[in-house]
Amino acid sequence: MPDLLLELRSEEIPARMQRKAAGDLKKLVTDALVEAGLTYEGAREYWTPRRLTLDIRGLTARSADQREERKGPRTDAPEGAIAGFLRGAGLSSISEAQVVNDPKKGDFYVAVISKPGRPAEEIIAGVMPGIIRNFPWPKSMRWGAASMPKGARFAGIDGKGPESLRWVRPLQSIVCVFGPEHDETQVIPFEIDGLTASNVTYGHRFHAPDAITVRRFDDYVTSLEKAKVMLDADRRKDVILHDARDLAFANGLDLVEDEGLLEEVSGLVEWPHVLMGEFEQDYLEIPAEIIRLTIKTNQKCFVTRPQTGGEGLSNRFILISNIEAKDGGKEIMHGNGKVVRARLSDAKHFWTRDQGDMPDLDTLEASAKKFDLDLRKPLDQRMAKLDALNVTFHAKLGTQGERVARIRALAQELAKVTGADPVLVDRAAVLAKADLRTEAVGEFPELQGLMGRKYALLQGEDASVAAAIEDHWKPNGPSDRLPEDKVGLTIALADKLDTLVGFWAIDEKPTGSKDPYALRRAALGVVRILLERNVRLALSEAFRMAYVPNLYFHPGRTEEEIADRIYKPDLLSFFHDRLKVYLRDQGARHDLIDAVLTPDSDDLLLVARRVEALTAFITSEDGKNLLAGTKRAVQLLAAEEKKGTVVADGVSEELLKLDAEKALWAAVVVASKEASDAVASEDFRSAMEALSKLRVPVDTFFQDVLVNDEDTAIRANRLALLKAIREATATVADFSKISG
C-alpha cells in the first residue's frame, strides 16, 4: 500500500505554535482522507522552525465504490414531489428509478445511486488546498503582493484579493509525494496561490541551502540530516538536554533544567549546537530567580549551578545555536555574553533601587497612616505608593489600596478560624501587594510574591509574614504547593474569597470555557486549602464577611438580601462544582459525592469527610446489603407518594401487627438515635455502623410484610415506617442517589 509524504516549508514558525500546528495538520489531513473514503495504517507528524511534515503510511490507493439506495415518494405522488426526488437523486428521468412494493404503503420509487471510487491522488489534490488555505493558525499574515494596501497593484496583480493565502509566515514550498514503499513515487502537483507541490525541499538555511529532491519519507529524513536539519523535535530536545548536561558537568556545574524553555529552544533551531557563555561574578549578588528569568526571557538560555548543591547559581549559562560555527562558537558566545551582561546590569539596577528610599516620601504619609506603614522601610514605601497612586484593580471593584483594605479586614475574621496570629496576619495583609510597585516585579510580573518575600526579609519582617507575602498567591493550580503556615494560609483565603465575592458582586462570572479572571482556579485554591489543611470554614458566613465592604455595588439592598439571594445559592454552587472536580480527581465516586452534597452544604471539609466515610461503608458487605434494602424502601415510598397514596404523619405502634414490622420500627428508632448522635459529633463511620444494623430487619420486613395492605390505615402506617427509614439514612446521605 502506498505512503504519503507532505511537507509545508515556510519562514520561521513561532516556537510556541509548532507542536499544535503539526498536530492540527495531521488531524485535518487524515480526517479529510477518511471522509473521502480512504483508510491508512498510521500517521505521524514532525516539525522544525521552518517546516511542518506529515508521514502517512499504508494509505489505500483508491476509495471504495459506493452504492446508495434512496427512498422516494409513492408512485401516485404529485408531480412536484417526484420532480424534487429526481433532482435530489441526480436522475434525469423517473424511468431510471426502481419501483418497490410495500404491502402496507403501496408502490414507491427508489433511486439506486452508484458512486465509483476515486484514486487517492485525486482525493489528496482535492483536499489539500482547502486545508492549507483554512489552516487554524492563532495568527497569520499575507506577504508579497497580497500584503499591499487594498486597491494597490504590483506587477499587475491586485494586492489584496479575498482569496489570497494567509499563513503564519510566508509559505515557500510544498512537498507532496505519493507511492509504494519500494517502487517509484509520484508528485501530486496541487497548486495554491502560485505555489505548486513538488518533490523538492531545502535543508539548513546556512549550512545546506541547495535544493534536495526526495522520493519518500526515509530518504527525506536522511537527506535532511545530511543537510543539517534534525526533523524529529523530540530528538532535538533530547540532544539539547543531554549535550547541555554534559557541557555543564565538564565544567564542574549542573544544568538548571527547564522543560518549558527546552520545548521553546528546540523550536528555534534545526541543527542544535550547545555552547557555554559567562558573565561577571558580581551579578550573582542578584537573586537567582531574577538572573534565571532575565537570561531565559531575553536570551532563551539555561542557567547553571555549582555541583556542590544549594540554590545559588554559577556565572556560566548554556546557549543553543542553530549554527555549527567554524571558530567553535567563540563569536556567538561573546555576542550572547554581551547581551546577557547588559540585561543583568538592568536587573541589578532594579534590585538595588527597590531596596532604596522612594524620592517622594512626603506624598505618602496619608497612605502610610491608613495602613500603619513605616516609611523608613522600602517595602512599606512601595505599599504606600500603590495606594497613593490609586492603581486600579478593576474598574468596578476599586483600587489596589481599597482591595488591600478589604483583604486586611477579612483576614482578621478568618484568623479566628485558622488560628493564625492576628498581628502577623495584619502585617502580612498590608504588605502582600506591595511588591507590585517594585521595579523587579514591573520587569518580571511572574516574580510577584517571591520578590515581596525577599524584600520583606531584607527589612527585618517576621519569617511568617515574609512567607505569607509569597504564599498568598498559592496554590496557583491543582499541583502547586499550599501556603507554608497559618499566616500565609489566612491571607491566601482572604485574597481568593475577596476576588470571588467581588466578581460575583459585579456579575462577572465564568461562562462556558471563558474565565478571564481565573475564578475557577481561585475557588479550587480555596477548596484545596480547606481540605488539605483541615480548615473548618462556613462558606456562607465567609461570603457575608467578604461582602460587607462592597454593599455599594447593590444600592438599595441589604447585606442579608444579597448574601441569601445571590452568594449563598449561586457562589456556593460554584464552589460545589470545584469540590466535585477535586474529589473525583482524588478517586471519589460522583454518585457518592452527590449523595452527601446538598445545596446548603457550606462546610466543605465536612462534606469530604462524609464522602470518605460513605465510600468505606458502601463497599463493605453491610453497606451493600443496606443500600439494596434502603433503595427498595425509598423507591416504593416515592412511587406511592407520586400516586397520592396517604402516608401517615408518624408511625403508630398500635397499628404494627406483624413481628417483622415491629422489629423494624424498634431498629429504626435505635439506629436513628445512634446515627444522629454520631453525626452531631461528626463521627460518620459510627453513623454508618449504626445504620448498618437496619440491614437484617429491613430484609425481613420485605420478606414477611405486604406494604400495600387492604386496610388503608395499616398501609399508611407501613408507608410511614418506610419514610422513617428514609429519614434515618438521610442523616448521613441520600441513598437514592447511590448507584448499584
Side-chain angles (χ1 to χ4, degrees):
M1 296 175 73
D3 304 328
L4 174 65
L5 167 63
L6 178 70
E7 180 200 71
L8 305 176
R9 188 179 64 88
S10 67
E11 293 290 343
E12 276 74 3
I13 305 167
R16 67 184 183 280
M17 299 182 187
Q18 293 168 18
R19 185 181 289 272
K20 183 179 184 304
D24 288 341
L25 180 65
K26 174 184 172 181
K27 185 176 190 311
L28 290 168
V29 173
T30 54
D31 284 357
L33 297 180
V34 170
E35 179 69 21
L38 300 178
T39 61
Y40 63 96
E41 293 177 356
R44 184 176 174 186
E45 71 275 27
Y46 300 86
W47 62 93
T48 79
R50 299 177 63 217
R51 66 200 79 223
L52 301 178
T53 298
L54 185 58
D55 174 30
I56 301 181
R57 301 292 177 95
L59 193 63
T60 46
R62 184 181 181 86
S63 63
D65 295 339
Q66 294 181 339
R67 184 178 184 276
E68 176 190 356
E69 290 189 0
R70 186 174 300 179
K71 186 177 180 180
R74 286 167 50 97
T75 54
D76 58 357
E79 290 186 8
I82 294 175
F85 165 65
L86 293 177
R87 285 194 302 272
L91 303 181
S92 58
S93 168
I94 197 63
S95 62
E96 297 177 6
Q98 297 179 4
V99 176
V100 177
N101 178 262
D102 185 324
K104 295 182 179 179
K105 298 182 180 179
D107 294 340
F108 60 90
Y109 292 115
V110 171
V112 179
I113 304 171
S114 296
K115 294 182 180 180
R118 293 189 296 154
E121 300 93 305
E122 179 184 323
I123 293 173
I124 294 166
V127 302
M128 283 310 306
I131 290 173
I132 295 173
R133 192 175 295 281
N134 299 306
F135 200 80
W137 292 110
K139 293 183 179 180
S140 56
M141 61 179 288
R142 292 188 176 92
W143 59 93
S147 67
M148 296 178 67
K150 189 172 183 180
R153 291 182 178 273
F154 178 77
I157 301 174
D158 190 358
K160 198 174 182 182
E163 296 300 321
S164 58
L165 177 65
R166 297 187 68 97
W167 198 248
V168 63
R169 294 293 184 269
L171 192 60
Q172 295 177 328
S173 68
I174 302 171
V175 169
C176 190
V177 180
F178 182 70
E181 185 177 356
H182 301 294
D183 296 334
E184 285 300 314
T185 57
Q186 62 173 306
V187 172
I188 301 179
F190 64 86
E191 188 271 340
I192 179 168
D193 222 47
L195 281 176
T196 302
S198 69
N199 60 353
V200 176
T201 189
Y202 295 83
H204 194 283
R205 184 189 297 276
F206 304 112
H207 289 308
D210 296 334
I212 302 170
T213 301
V214 298
R215 292 179 300 166
R216 54 180 58 86
F217 182 76
D218 291 342
D219 73 274
Y220 166 77
V221 173
T222 302
S223 298
L224 284 181
E225 194 81 17
K226 291 177 181 177
K228 306 293 185 184
V229 174
M230 197 177 293
L231 183 66
D232 189 334
D234 290 330
R235 183 175 161 228
R236 290 198 305 277
K237 285 177 65 174
D238 190 63
V239 167
I240 291 169
L241 179 59
H242 285 86
D243 285 359
R245 285 173 177 169
D246 292 346
L247 182 57
F249 185 80
N251 285 271
L253 304 168
D254 284 332
L255 178 72
V256 178
E257 297 183 18
D258 185 324
E259 176 60 30
L261 180 59
L262 180 61
E263 174 79 10
E264 184 175 10
V265 296
S266 71
L268 297 175
V269 295
E270 291 193 315
W271 194 249
H273 192 55
V274 176
L275 302 169
M276 178 174 281
E278 66 178 312
F279 53 86
E280 285 73 17
Q281 288 273 357
D282 292 348
Y283 290 121
L284 295 179
E285 298 172 6
I286 309 170
E289 295 84 0
I290 295 182
I291 295 174
R292 183 175 179 177
L293 267 177
T294 298
I295 293 177
K296 171 183 176 178
T297 304
N298 294 296
Q299 288 303 103
K300 314 301 179 190
C301 296
F302 297 86
V303 294
T304 63
R305 58 177 165 238
Q307 290 179 349
T308 53
E311 297 182 0
L313 301 179
S314 82
N315 66 325
R316 303 284 187 90
F317 62 92
I318 300 290
L319 61 105
I320 315 301
S321 171
N322 193 35
I323 300 173
E324 192 172 335
K326 294 179 181 178
D327 64 355
K330 292 180 181 178
E331 196 61 34
I332 296 172
M333 290 186 286
H334 175 71
N336 275 268
K338 285 178 62 177
V339 176
V340 165
R341 282 190 287 274
R343 298 296 187 185
L344 289 177
S345 178
D346 292 341
K348 188 175 182 180
H349 177 69
F350 300 149
W351 169 246
T352 304
R353 279 177 59 91
D354 285 340
Q355 296 174 59
D357 288 337
M358 303 194 83
D360 52 353
L361 292 182
D362 57 325
T363 67
L364 305 179
E365 291 179 0
S367 293
K369 185 177 181 181
K370 184 192 306 184
F371 291 100
D372 302 314
L373 297 167
D374 183 351
L375 291 182
R376 293 171 297 179
K377 297 182 177 182
L379 199 57
D380 290 57
Q381 295 174 22
R382 271 72 188 170
M383 178 56 220
K385 188 69 172 180
L386 184 70
D387 178 66
L389 288 175
N390 289 321
V391 176
T392 300
F393 167 62
H394 185 281
K396 295 181 179 179
L397 292 174
T399 66
Q400 286 284 7
E402 290 170 335
R403 182 164 188 248
V404 169
R406 295 197 302 268
I407 292 173
R408 186 185 188 187
L410 179 56
Q412 283 299 305
E413 296 299 321
L414 293 174
K416 301 172 185 176
V417 176
T418 63
D421 184 324
V423 175
L424 297 181
V425 165
D426 189 66
R427 182 65 174 160
V430 165
L431 294 179
K433 306 296 182 182
D435 66 354
L436 294 177
R437 289 304 304 167
T438 62
E439 295 193 38
V441 172
E443 181 72 10
F444 299 114
E446 53 267 61
L447 291 180
Q448 56 193 5
L450 188 147
M451 294 311 302
R453 180 177 192 163
K454 291 185 179 297
Y455 293 135
L457 290 173
L458 284 172
Q459 70 178 35
E461 299 297 333
D462 185 280
S464 288
V465 171
I469 293 172
E470 178 182 2
D471 290 353
H472 86 280
W473 296 101
K474 298 182 178 299
N476 201 9
S479 59
D480 193 21
R481 70 170 178 85
L482 295 177
E484 292 178 4
D485 62 17
K486 292 180 179 180
V487 176
L489 182 150
T490 305
I491 305 300
L493 281 175
D495 178 79
K496 291 169 176 56
L497 287 169
D498 176 78
T499 298
L500 287 156
V501 168
F503 281 106
W504 243 253
I506 61 173
D507 201 26
E508 289 280 358
K509 308 168 188 175
T511 56
S513 61
K514 295 181 179 180
D515 187 10
Y517 304 110
L519 301 182
R520 292 188 180 95
R521 186 171 64 191
L524 180 60
V526 173
V527 169
R528 285 193 58 202
I529 289 173
L530 298 182
L531 269 57
E532 295 177 29
R533 290 289 185 266
N534 294 313
V535 177
R536 297 288 303 277
L537 176 66
L539 285 178
S540 297
E541 181 59 26
F543 299 158
R544 193 184 300 272
M545 290 188 295
Y547 178 72
V548 171
N550 296 302
L551 277 175
Y552 64 89
F553 291 122
H554 293 279
R557 294 185 183 180
T558 67
E559 173 190 337
E560 289 74 17
E561 286 177 323
I562 297 301
D564 291 340
R565 297 182 185 180
I566 297 179
Y567 293 113
K568 188 171 181 180
D570 192 10
L571 184 52
L572 191 57
S573 174
F574 182 72
F575 269 95
H576 287 173
D577 290 341
R578 297 306 100 204
L579 175 66
K580 290 178 182 178
V581 171
Y582 176 85
L583 291 177
R584 285 198 294 265
D585 288 345
Q586 299 297 310
R589 282 169 39 182
H590 68 87
D591 59 324
L592 300 188
I593 300 171
D594 290 339
V596 167
L597 197 60
T598 68
D600 292 328
S601 299
D602 69 351
D603 186 336
L604 303 190
L605 181 60
L606 205 61
V607 172
R609 288 176 177 172
R610 281 176 178 263
V611 172
E612 181 182 1
L614 183 58
T615 301
F617 176 69
I618 216 67
T619 53
S620 68
E621 197 62 33
D622 281 347
K624 292 175 184 177
N625 292 333
L626 177 62
L627 175 63
T630 300
K631 291 192 74 170
R632 182 178 177 185
V634 171
Q635 289 169 356
L636 194 158
L637 175 63
E640 293 302 319
E641 287 175 332
K642 188 175 182 180
K643 290 189 294 185
T645 306
V646 175
V647 180
D649 292 335
V651 175
S652 170
E653 294 190 29
E654 296 177 357
L655 293 175
L656 299 175
K657 303 299 182 183
L658 302 177
D659 290 342
E661 58 183 330
K662 293 176 182 178
L664 177 57
W665 172 239
V668 168
V669 171
V670 173
S672 296
K673 176 70 166 57
E674 291 180 353
S676 296
D677 291 345
V679 168
S681 61
E682 298 179 7
D683 184 357
F684 301 113
R685 290 185 182 275
S686 295
M688 303 287 180
E689 291 172 3
L691 292 176
S692 69
K693 297 174 184 177
L694 293 175
R695 186 194 70 173
V696 173
V698 165
D699 290 344
T700 305
F701 176 83
F702 281 115
Q703 289 172 6
D704 298 351
V705 178
L706 176 65
V707 175
N708 286 319
D709 193 270
E710 293 180 358
D711 187 319
T712 57
I714 292 177
R715 179 171 66 243
N717 197 56
R718 287 174 179 170
L719 288 174
L721 182 54
L722 299 186
K723 186 177 180 181
I725 295 173
R726 183 172 67 186
E727 291 172 349
T729 55
T731 59
V732 174
D734 184 347
F735 277 54
S736 68
K737 293 182 178 179
I738 302 175
S739 60

